[in-house]
Amino acid sequence: LTSANMLKDNFKIANVYFEAGEFYYDKGEDKKALISFLNSKYALKNNSKDENTVRINSRIKDIKVRMDEKTYNSIVEKYDK
């Protein structure tokens, strides 16, 4: 992440967050996964039709189903910039 930030490469930044989200998702750590996916989405904010954004949004929807609504909404409110 540090290297991607130094390069100011939004795609690489988004990829790092997405992979972290996948890691947390597989471990059942939905809060951390959701935060990572939202950060990934934010890094690609100017590419809303990009297939990567579609994958991110799909994962966010998957987590929404697994997580209680109150927790989900509080995280989205805080991190979905």
Side-chain angles (χ1 to χ4, degrees), residues 2 5 8-9 12-13 15-16 18-19 22 30-31 34 37 43 45 47 52 58 65 67 70 72-73:
T2 302
N5 280 322
K8 297 182 182 177
D9 186 329
K12 289 181 185 197
I13 294 167
N15 191 47
V16 169
F18 183 80
E19 291 301 323
E22 288 286 285
D30 292 336
K31 291 178 184 179
L34 180 56
F37 289 132
K45 67 183 174 204
N47 298 320
N52 294 308
S58 176
V65 171
M67 187 178 270
K70 183 179 178 184
Y72 174 85
N73 289 336

Side-chain angles (χ1 to χ4, degrees), residues 56-70:
I56 295 164
N57 287 330
S58 176
R59 277 302 199 203
I60 291 170
K61 288 178 186 175
D62 291 344
I63 291 174
K64 185 176 183 177
V65 171
R66 290 179 14 173
M67 187 178 270
D68 70 90
E69 187 176 348
K70 183 179 178 184

Side-chain angles (χ1 to χ4, degrees), residues 22 71 77:
E22 288 286 285
T71 303
E77 184 178 303

Side-chain angles (χ1 to χ4, degrees), residues 21-52:
E22 288 286 285
F23 173 79
Y24 291 127
Y25 183 85
D26 290 343
K27 291 184 61 115
E29 296 184 35
D30 292 336
K31 291 178 184 179
K32 290 180 181 180
L34 180 56
I35 292 167
S36 294
F37 289 132
L38 291 171
N39 285 329
S40 182
K41 180 180 167 183
Y42 178 73
L44 294 176
K45 67 183 174 204
N46 294 328
N47 298 320
S48 62
K49 296 184 190 279
D50 184 82
E51 76 178 57
N52 294 308

